[in-house]
Amino acid sequence: MKTCPDAYHCPVEATIDIVGGKHKVLILWHLSKHGVLRFGELQRLMPQATPKMLTQQLRELEADGMLHRELYHQVPPKTEYSLTERGRSFTPVLNAMCVWGGSVLKEMSAEAGRKVVRKD
């Protein structure tokens, strides 16, 4: 995220800069639903994300103040992630995205059903 608010042309640009990574929205979604997750749990919930990519996206979200990383110094080491207040404030946007995506999937399903040509 840019450090100067004047560097953005509009608020949407700032939003995209923060959550526009390949897996960031999904990370935020899972944390909003589960509260606290360990790295391995996030990996299982997001098998499409490589460990390297997941680590990078988590670090960027932490740097942007969207999530908190708690490191427990034990053997083996344990790291837990949770949303910060800023991250929790994004939850209504995630919920709206879920509703919108669900309605689009229903429309697509209905359209796919209509496109089936039956030859009786």
Side-chain angles (χ1 to χ4, degrees), residues 77-88:
K78 179 172 92 169
T79 306
E80 292 181 336
Y81 297 91
S82 59
L83 295 178
T84 61
E85 189 61 38
R86 180 181 290 171
R88 285 189 296 276

Side-chain angles (χ1 to χ4, degrees), residues 1-20 24 60 63-64 86:
M1 178 177 187
K2 299 173 186 170
T3 56
C4 177
D6 294 335
Y8 294 103
H9 296 94
C10 73
V12 173
E13 185 180 1
T15 303
I16 291 169
D17 192 24
I18 295 169
V19 300
K24 289 180 181 179
E60 290 175 10
D64 289 337
R86 180 181 290 171

Side-chain angles (χ1 to χ4, degrees), residues 2 4 24 39-40 48 50 57 71 80 108 116:
K2 299 173 186 170
C4 177
K24 289 180 181 179
F39 184 84
Q48 72 279 18
T50 65
Q57 301 281 282
L71 179 61
E80 292 181 336
M108 291 170 61
V116 174

Side-chain angles (χ1 to χ4, degrees), residues 48-110:
Q48 72 279 18
T50 65
K52 180 181 177 183
M53 179 59 70
L54 184 57
T55 298
Q56 178 184 341
Q57 301 281 282
L58 287 164
R59 286 181 181 158
E60 290 175 10
L61 286 168
E62 182 184 14
D64 289 337
M66 296 295 284
L67 60 83
H68 172 72
R69 179 174 61 103
E70 186 72 34
L71 179 61
Y72 296 92
H73 298 285
Q74 62 187 43
V75 177
K78 179 172 92 169
T79 306
E80 292 181 336
Y81 297 91
S82 59
L83 295 178
T84 61
E85 189 61 38
R86 180 181 290 171
R88 285 189 296 276
S89 73
F90 193 68
T91 300
V93 178
L94 293 167
N95 290 333
M97 290 173 71
C98 183
V99 169
W100 183 83
S103 66
V104 168
L105 290 174
K106 281 174 92 173
E107 288 174 16
M108 291 170 61
S109 182

